Amino acid sequence: AKAPADGYTLMFGGGTGSSTVFFKDGLDLFRDLAPVAVMVSGPWIMYASARIPARSFQELLPLAKSRPGGQLNFGASGSKAHLVMSAIKSRAGLDYVGVNYKGQTPTIQGLISGEIDISIDGGLAAYKSLVDAGKIRVLMVTRRTSLLPATPGPADAGVPGIESGFHSLFWVPVATPRDTQVKLNADRKSTRLN
């Protein structure tokens, strides 16, 4: 936000949920920065430890009900994942105990070891080899995706009314001229990431 507003300095980061992080430093995401391009966007993916018998979200619901008092453990890192899971919990009537982790790697380790039963994350890359090896299962996506075409979305899984995803964007200082912001957005749209 204090960089020259010339379009040469960009910040890469999350969307609205990130704004609370910046308030501690006196920076207001929407007052001081302007979003210019979405770089990454996708659904949240619900994962399960292979140590639990549920192979789908539909199988998870009776399992959760058979473990009253929050005997099902949900773990994730980051407040956005917990908010999305809280919405699913409310809609589906899941009862679980939330476990906070300090990052994606410890969360994955918790799933593999069975320390936690389920998790939700915005990424697939870190999990793919473990899913392919049968150590972790994919139960549901919060928005249908071509990356996991056979995986049910919320309505298919019996949790209508939840369609959520994550976004990571490029931001510039708010004083960056509008024509520069438009050009950065157009440049991003013409670039293909492989």
Side-chain angles (χ1 to χ4, degrees), residues 127-179:
Y127 294 84
K128 180 136 179 37
S129 65
L130 298 166
V131 169
D132 292 345
K135 295 182 178 184
I136 295 174
R137 296 186 188 114
V138 175
L139 300 184
M140 179 177 74
V141 291
T142 59
R143 187 173 62 216
R144 294 303 299 261
T145 175
S146 60
L147 295 173
L148 296 165
T151 304
D156 307 316
V159 192
I162 294 175
E163 180 148 331
S164 179
F166 68 92
H167 309 283
S168 293
L169 304 95
F170 273 131
W171 301 81
V172 294
V174 75
T176 303
R178 182 78 181 133
D179 62 329

Side-chain angles (χ1 to χ4, degrees), residues 21-167:
V21 173
F22 298 113
F23 284 127
K24 294 178 184 172
D25 295 332
L27 177 68
D28 182 326
L29 185 65
F30 295 104
R31 180 193 67 215
D32 301 329
L33 298 171
V36 292
V38 174
M39 288 301 294
V40 181
S41 179
W44 291 95
I45 304 168
M46 182 180 285
Y47 296 98
S49 171
R51 295 177 182 247
I52 66 169
R55 296 183 140 339
S56 67
F57 187 76
Q58 292 86 345
E59 291 179 12
L60 179 67
L61 294 174
L63 175 67
K65 290 181 178 164
S66 74
R67 296 180 175 183
Q71 293 177 30
L72 188 73
N73 293 320
F74 161 76
S77 62
S79 59
K80 292 180 204 175
H82 284 277
L83 287 171
V84 171
M85 194 60 193
S86 182
I88 293 169
K89 175 183 179 177
S90 174
R91 290 279 179 154
L94 277 178
D95 190 14
Y96 64 81
V97 174
V99 179
N100 294 315
Y101 282 90
K102 291 184 177 182
Q104 186 182 57
T105 300
T107 304
I108 292 171
Q109 291 167 340
L111 278 170
I112 293 168
S113 71
E115 182 177 79
I116 55 172
D117 301 306
I118 56 175
S119 184
I120 197 161
D121 195 329
L124 176 61
Y127 294 84
K128 180 136 179 37
S129 65
L130 298 166
V131 169
D132 292 345
K135 295 182 178 184
I136 295 174
R137 296 186 188 114
V138 175
L139 300 184
M140 179 177 74
V141 291
T142 59
R143 187 173 62 216
R144 294 303 299 261
T145 175
S146 60
L147 295 173
L148 296 165
T151 304
D156 307 316
V159 192
I162 294 175
E163 180 148 331
S164 179
F166 68 92
H167 309 283

